[in-house]
Amino acid sequence: MRIKKPFLFIGIILGIFLISFVSAVSTVQICQIYDDFSSETLNTSKWEEGFSRSGGAGWIDEHYLNVENQKYHTAQLSQADMGVELKSLRTIQTGETLEFDLSYNSGSGNHWGCIFWDETSTWSDGLSCVGNWNEVNSQPGIFGTYHIKGEYEENEINGEMTLPNGSIIPLTYLNIQAPYTFSFVTRTGHNGLVNIDYDNVKICSGVPLTLEERVSLLESKVENLTSRVNILETLVNTIKGYFWFMPNDIKKKILCGTLNQTGETTITNLGLNCEMVYRPLTNKYVCACRYP
């Protein structure tokens, strides 16, 4: 039974991939913490607070950097129509990715904890939220930490939200506009209570690679691919070894099936010699096997 042709094909495909890899891969994603809120006070060179775009009638009860748990904390302790916006002063570039954690600690009535992805985001578009507002729900009552990630493409966001239970849901928005400056917004309605924290804001950017770095990355991938091919070859050889212990009628089906697929006339393997023999009476070729 022939097993080398598949590996030859794999080798050709890998060769084409590796040759194109050096020219195709020119950048690598480098991620940096924008703010993990571990300082003593809110960094005003990175953030500014407001409430007008939140839609609330006034400031939410609590909005500050919590030094104790090192998070930006927001909470409304009495039912009221209030809000806060924590706006980043960093402009996001197309191709960059934003990630952060949202801790949904509690909430009731009308309440949201959201990210506005750009300057033009409104409550009807361009945002991702956790909470409940009238008949509109987003993970209502599922308290815990959410991890939200979005890649900025030309006038759109593609990303995902990881829920506290580990499941992932996709995020896509098509109506954002540059300049891309993001905001965290917590809002309550007339009957709303909420406790939400924001943390671990990270921005990933594509950094150009030098030719030497690209070659080094290529060598690493070649080593990894070679290891995988060796494992696959070992597995195939192990499976092949089991074939020797199969009944002869099964071996015959395997070898004759190989001849039918390849169009060849003879094959010797698994302790049998099989060939395609022409039968004049039936005007057909049949596969006959015997011990060599």
Side-chain angles (χ1 to χ4, degrees), residues 104 108-113 130-138 140-141:
Y104 184 22
S108 63
N110 290 345
H111 65 282
W112 285 126
V130 172
N132 182 320
W133 199 279
N134 293 334
E135 300 301 321
V136 180
N137 301 311
S138 179

Side-chain angles (χ1 to χ4, degrees), residues 180-216:
Y180 307 128
T181 55
F182 62 93
S183 297
F184 301 134
V185 179
T186 302
R187 167 78 191 277
T188 56
H190 70 284
N191 63 346
L193 301 174
V194 73
N195 186 319
I196 288 178
D197 298 334
Y198 304 90
D199 197 13
N200 297 322
V201 184
K202 181 168 62 175
I203 298 174
C204 301
S205 307
V207 178
L209 294 175
T210 65
L211 179 60
E212 182 179 350
E213 290 172 330
R214 289 157 68 184
V215 170
S216 176

Side-chain angles (χ1 to χ4, degrees), residues 18-37:
L18 294 174
I19 289 172
S20 63
F21 182 82
V22 172
S23 58
V25 178
S26 58
T27 62
V28 64
Q29 286 284 308
I30 301 297
C31 298
Q32 294 182 327
I33 295 294
Y34 179 69
D35 202 345
D36 59 4
F37 301 108

Side-chain angles (χ1 to χ4, degrees), residues 39-107:
S39 58
E40 293 295 321
T41 58
L42 186 67
N43 190 334
T44 55
S45 68
K46 295 182 177 181
W47 308 99
E48 67 178 14
E49 289 184 300
F51 72 85
S52 60
R53 197 159 72 122
S54 74
W59 288 99
I60 204 167
D61 284 342
E62 297 181 350
H63 54 96
Y64 55 82
L65 190 153
N66 189 323
V67 178
E68 204 172 298
N69 65 8
Q70 297 186 336
K71 297 179 181 181
Y72 180 74
H73 171 68
T74 65
Q76 181 61 31
L77 307 180
S78 60
Q79 293 180 342
D81 184 1
M82 299 295 180
V84 65
E85 174 188 8
L86 182 69
K87 179 182 177 182
S88 167
L89 301 179
R90 159 74 145 83
T91 300
I92 303 291
Q93 304 300 317
T94 300
E96 291 187 319
T97 299
L98 172 68
E99 298 185 41
F100 65 94
D101 292 331
L102 183 155
S103 297
Y104 184 22
N105 304 311
S106 64

Side-chain angles (χ1 to χ4, degrees), residues 9-21:
F9 176 74
I10 292 173
I12 293 173
I13 295 299
L14 291 179
I16 295 173
F17 167 75
L18 294 174
I19 289 172
S20 63
F21 182 82

